[in-house]
Amino acid sequence: MAAYSSLEGKANFTPPDNLPTKIPCGEVTRYIVDCLTATGAPLHGAHALAEVLVAADTRGHYSHGLNRLEMYVNDLKRGLCDGAATPTIEKESVSTALVQGNNGLGPVVGKFCMNLAIEKARETGIGWVAARGSNHYGIAGYYAMMASSQGLMGMSFTNTSPIVAPTRAKAGVLGTNPICLAAPGRTIDDPFVLDMATCTAAAGKIEIQNRKGEPLPDGWAMGTDGKVTTDPKEAMKASALLPLGGDELHSGYKGYGLAMMVEVFCGIMAGSHFGPNIRKWFQTEEPADLGHAFVAIDQSFFAPGFEGRMGDLMDHCRNMEPVDPEKPVLVAGDPERSCEERIRREGGVTYLAQQMNESWKLAKLLGVEPMKGL
Amino acid sequence: MAAYSSLEGKANFTPPDNLPTKIPCGEVTRYIVDCLTATGAPLHGAHALAEVLVAADTRGHYSHGLNRLEMYVNDLKRGLCDGAATPTIEKESVSTALVQGNNGLGPVVGKFCMNLAIEKARETGIGWVAARGSNHYGIAGYYAMMASSQGLMGMSFTNTSPIVAPTRAKAGVLGTNPICLAAPGRTIDDPFVLDMATCTAAAGKIEIQNRKGEPLPDGWAMGTDGKVTTDPKEAMKASALLPLGGDELHSGYKGYGLAMMVEVFCGIMAGSHFGPNIRKWFQTEEPADLGHAFVAIDQSFFAPGFEGRMGDLMDHCRNMEPVDPEKPVLVAGDPERSCEERIRREGGVTYLAQQMNESWKLAKLLGVEPMKGL
């Protein structure tokens, strides 16, 4: 995880003081679409990517939203990703498919695959789609929620650049490889949404700490010497995050095993790059050739009453006595739902000032209109 | 997780000194089958359960082998589990099924479901089978490896008695809910086998520490006051293990989310008991009505060359430079494979003396021949 070398020429622009930091979602979308089309992406692909990035920010996953735009722009500018490509089905059964992404934008590949999985799930109860030849697709949750918003169960997995160290190893060789499940709850607007990297803390969180200039909590990452570090710069240099669980005594090998499982679903099943063969973070000399997996399940093919049981379990957890009375017990998806509600209430997303400066410079470089505040 | 109250009358028997501790696998199997048939189970079911328990011991998962026999005997004796029951298919598509276990032995249900999933995977690329009305099925790995031993991918999940605390909560409400994936490697005897509880340490490991009279590592479990404890007795009393990751700062909510995910695949999809509705550990007043999930995938429906890529990734990890030169980097399934090889070399499983004493007393109580050593 080398420090990101920003786009050539961007440093020539000096942002004005006091740029707005609270931006309406529509305006963030407009800005992202403008940046991508200015880089040569067609409108359809630009919108698909903008939608996923804005979804990340409104759900509070800031590392995967606007924060990542420059990486996509860079890949498009250098011709490493083909903004105009559309995916093709290479192999298919009633319940499975292998999709070739043709090096298109990750969200274009992802939406295509998840729609295909949903179609198959409605026919046979399950659709399992593996994709290769793809690029970063943003938050896994976006695709899983495509299914849950239609009343089905959805799962999504992706491999990513090598940065997580196997237990006992000194270097990162697996991605932060997320696991995501969205399952309908009692009502359509109360799904269970688990969307988690299989390391203790996602790479994006290390980036954010680095951007804020704040230390890492103990146990998130190793330094180049194989010892745990709290320095985000050292962590980014070493590219050796700890898997979920942490050290061996605390079962970090389980997180390592889960990261491997996700790689099995992605690169190994789809035949894309995998593990150590994937390009390093922000190393932009070759196409990413990432692998993803998308699963949709129609729970009506199993026992009736799924949504009621799901709601019962979620509510049981939420109503449990907390250790600290000020910190209520939550269910996966609750923090994101609260964040979405707050942003709706406030009328926009509030970004860090540094993020706004970088976005302003990118706008100037690409010749698009900078974002306007509320 | 109340301390286990052993079978009535067992305490009347006093084992002789110096019982053998190293027992050939065939003899362990004979003993387990004798105990189960003496309790009224038919030979077929007794063999199915014995095979799974011996597999656990030979793979080094001692908590799930002979250590658990008394629990199964107890359920059979009290008529809480029907040793003679056979599972029935309630609902079926080309790729899915819902199976009613009819309160039969867990391994009888499990083998039936996994065979069904494998059959469907061969037809459509994937088989996803949910089961309800079942009982403890032993190690999840046994079922996943039924698929990998036939050259396919296998997954298995089960819910279990509530003992894992949601992040921020004081009490256990989810099971140790294991996730298991077995995937063929370069050769048929070198599969990737991830078989992990979604808590930091499985309940069985706490039992074993308790049996040994040794303290728990920090961060495995909470006491009745909601604080981390190292006392296995206090941990068993509180029934509040920490999910994988540990506390909130170290992303324990991810382990909590994974435990919920497994429950979604099991109790919520299958319509069995789930979460807090499942009977407590060793609480033996009602049938368990557990839920399981079994998935088989024929990877030939996806990109060709799966086994080579899987082998490459496994070997890459194994050959990485370790932090401690004396501790080589392993891959999920390696420790179990080493254990199996050692036991084959030594000609039998070596148990704790206390385990042998308990097994001797159980033999006397049931009127079966105690185990003979090598």
Side-chain angles (χ1 to χ4, degrees):
Chain A
M1 184 171 171
Y4 184 57
S5 58
S6 72
L7 284 167
E8 214 178 323
K10 203 179 129 210
N12 297 340
F13 300 96
T14 306
D17 287 343
N18 300 319
L19 282 170
T21 55
K22 188 181 288 181
I23 318 287
C25 294
E27 174 65 359
V28 183
T29 303
R30 192 274 311 157
Y31 164 78
I32 294 174
V33 168
D34 281 358
C35 288
L36 293 169
T37 51
T39 318
L43 206 55
H44 163 77
H47 265 291
L49 179 50
E51 209 177 308
V52 176
L53 297 186
V54 172
D57 283 339
T58 54
R59 292 177 67 73
H61 295 293
Y62 298 109
S63 56
H64 285 62
L66 191 59
N67 178 53
R68 282 275 167 80
L69 176 62
E70 208 166 318
M71 180 188 74
Y72 296 98
V73 165
N74 192 43
D75 276 0
L76 286 166
K77 265 183 104 81
R78 299 197 183 191
L80 297 171
C81 167
D82 178 1
T86 51
T88 45
I89 298 174
E90 285 198 62
K91 207 185 240 184
E92 199 174 7
S93 82
V94 286
S95 300
T96 65
L98 173 64
V99 167
Q100 171 55 260
N102 296 316
N103 197 26
L105 289 165
V108 171
V109 179
K111 287 171 89 166
F112 177 88
C113 292
M114 198 56 179
N115 280 326
L116 188 58
I118 288 171
E119 211 174 280
K120 291 176 185 296
R122 291 208 188 278
E123 288 296 317
T124 68
I126 186 163
W128 188 301
V129 177
R132 59 175 160 186
S134 189
N135 285 283
H136 287 272
Y137 77 171
I139 51 168
Y142 181 87
Y143 308 97
M145 288 170 68
M146 282 173 64
S148 65
S149 69
Q150 295 182 43
L152 301 177
M153 294 168 65
M155 284 188 270
S156 176
F157 309 88
T158 185
N159 60 18
T160 66
S161 297
I163 189 169
V164 175
T167 303
R168 299 183 174 185
K170 258 180 137 161
V173 76
L174 294 163
T176 55
N177 298 4
I179 292 176
C180 180
L181 166 69
R186 201 184 316 278
T187 59
I188 198 76
D189 57 354
D190 190 21
F192 171 82
V193 185
L194 177 68
D195 183 3
M196 52 168 273
T198 48
C199 49
T200 297
K205 287 197 179 173
I206 313 270
E207 287 173 56
I208 293 280
Q209 290 302 100
N210 187 41
R211 188 162 285 197
K212 284 191 196 167
E214 289 177 12
L216 308 176
D218 203 49
W220 280 18
M222 288 196 288
T224 45
D225 56 359
K227 290 185 188 144
V228 172
T229 184
T230 58
D231 175 2
K233 285 197 201 318
E234 172 71 8
M236 288 173 80
K237 197 169 151 204
S239 289
L241 302 185
L242 287 168
L244 179 61
D247 64 16
E248 192 166 347
L249 185 66
H250 294 89
S251 305
Y253 50 85
K254 294 185 181 183
Y256 160 40
L258 290 169
M260 285 280 271
M261 179 182 83
V262 171
E263 189 57 282
V264 171
F265 294 161
C266 297
I268 308 298
M269 276 174 82
S272 66
H273 279 167
F274 59 90
N277 308 327
I278 300 175
R279 67 182 196 182
K280 303 266 186 305
W281 274 96
F282 304 123
Q283 200 177 69
T284 45
E285 278 132 47
E286 46 168 340
D289 187 15
L290 296 187
H292 317 305
F294 305 88
V295 183
I297 297 177
D298 182 344
Q299 66 277 11
S300 73
F301 281 68
F302 298 90
F306 180 100
E307 294 78 2
R309 286 189 296 278
M310 190 75 236
D312 285 349
L313 181 59
M314 290 167 76
D315 288 344
H316 183 96
C317 291
R318 288 167 176 155
N319 293 324
M320 287 180 81
E321 188 194 349
V323 174
D324 174 348
E326 299 198 350
K327 290 186 174 169
V329 179
L330 303 174
V331 163
D334 284 351
E336 289 85 353
R337 209 163 5 245
S338 301
C339 188
E340 284 176 333
E341 281 160 16
R342 184 173 48 75
I343 284 167
R344 218 173 358 248
R345 232 175 18 243
E346 296 178 358
V349 183
T350 303
Y351 292 103
L352 294 176
Q354 200 195 340
Q355 172 72 72
M356 296 320 295
N357 288 343
E358 295 303 316
S359 295
W360 187 90
K361 289 194 276 182
L362 183 64
K364 289 294 158 185
L365 180 72
L366 299 175
V368 313
E369 189 71 30
M371 280 180 278
K372 290 190 184 63
L374 261 178
Chain B
M1 187 171 170
Y4 183 56
S5 59
S6 71
L7 284 166
E8 212 179 324
K10 204 179 128 210
N12 298 339
F13 299 96
T14 307
D17 287 342
N18 299 320
L19 281 170
T21 55
K22 189 182 285 180
I23 317 288
C25 294
E27 174 65 359
V28 183
T29 304
R30 191 276 309 158
Y31 164 78
I32 294 174
V33 168
D34 281 358
C35 287
L36 293 169
T37 51
T39 317
L43 208 54
H44 163 78
H47 266 289
L49 178 50
E51 209 178 308
V52 176
L53 297 186
V54 172
D57 283 340
T58 55
R59 293 178 65 75
H61 294 294
Y62 299 109
S63 57
H64 285 61
L66 192 58
N67 177 55
R68 283 274 167 81
L69 176 61
E70 209 167 318
M71 180 189 76
Y72 295 98
V73 165
N74 191 43
D75 276 0
L76 286 166
K77 267 182 102 81
R78 300 196 183 193
L80 298 172
C81 167
D82 179 0
T86 52
T88 44
I89 298 173
E90 285 197 65
K91 205 187 243 186
E92 199 174 6
S93 82
V94 287
S95 299
T96 66
L98 173 64
V99 167
Q100 171 54 260
N102 296 316
N103 198 25
L105 288 165
V108 171
V109 179
K111 288 171 89 165
F112 176 89
C113 291
M114 198 56 177
N115 281 325
L116 188 59
I118 288 171
E119 210 175 281
K120 290 175 185 296
R122 292 210 188 278
E123 289 295 318
T124 66
I126 186 163
W128 188 301
V129 177
R132 59 174 159 185
S134 189
N135 286 283
H136 287 272
Y137 78 170
I139 51 168
Y142 181 87
Y143 308 97
M145 288 171 69
M146 282 173 64
S148 64
S149 69
Q150 294 183 46
L152 302 177
M153 295 169 64
M155 284 189 270
S156 177
F157 310 88
T158 184
N159 60 16
T160 66
S161 297
I163 189 170
V164 175
T167 302
R168 300 183 173 184
K170 259 181 138 163
V173 75
L174 294 163
T176 56
N177 297 4
I179 291 176
C180 181
L181 166 69
R186 202 184 315 281
T187 60
I188 197 77
D189 57 354
D190 191 22
F192 170 82
V193 185
L194 177 69
D195 183 3
M196 53 167 272
T198 47
C199 49
T200 297
K205 288 197 178 171
I206 313 269
E207 285 172 58
I208 294 279
Q209 292 301 100
N210 187 40
R211 187 163 286 196
K212 286 191 196 167
E214 289 176 12
L216 307 177
D218 202 52
W220 280 18
M222 288 197 288
T224 45
D225 56 358
K227 289 186 187 141
V228 172
T229 183
T230 58
D231 175 1
K233 286 197 203 314
E234 172 71 8
M236 289 173 80
K237 197 169 152 204
S239 290
L241 301 185
L242 286 168
L244 179 61
D247 63 15
E248 191 166 348
L249 185 65
H250 294 89
S251 306
Y253 50 86
K254 294 186 181 183
Y256 160 40
L258 289 169
M260 285 279 273
M261 180 182 81
V262 171
E263 189 57 282
V264 171
F265 294 161
C266 297
I268 308 299
M269 274 174 82
S272 66
H273 279 166
F274 59 90
N277 309 327
I278 300 175
R279 67 183 196 181
K280 302 265 186 308
W281 274 95
F282 304 123
Q283 199 178 73
T284 46
E285 278 134 47
E286 47 166 340
D289 187 14
L290 296 187
H292 316 305
F294 304 88
V295 184
I297 298 177
D298 182 345
Q299 67 276 10
S300 73
F301 281 68
F302 298 89
F306 180 99
E307 295 79 0
R309 285 189 295 279
M310 191 74 238
D312 286 349
L313 181 59
M314 291 167 75
D315 288 344
H316 182 96
C317 291
R318 287 167 176 155
N319 292 324
M320 287 181 80
E321 186 192 352
V323 175
D324 175 349
E326 300 198 351
K327 290 188 175 167
V329 179
L330 303 173
V331 162
D334 285 349
E336 289 85 354
R337 208 160 9 242
S338 302
C339 188
E340 283 176 334
E341 282 160 15
R342 185 172 49 74
I343 284 167
R344 218 173 358 248
R345 236 176 15 246
E346 296 178 357
V349 183
T350 303
Y351 292 103
L352 295 176
Q354 199 195 340
Q355 172 72 72
M356 297 319 295
N357 288 344
E358 294 302 317
S359 294
W360 187 91
K361 289 194 276 183
L362 182 63
K364 289 296 161 185
L365 180 72
L366 299 175
V368 313
E369 190 71 30
M371 280 179 278
K372 290 189 185 61
L374 263 177

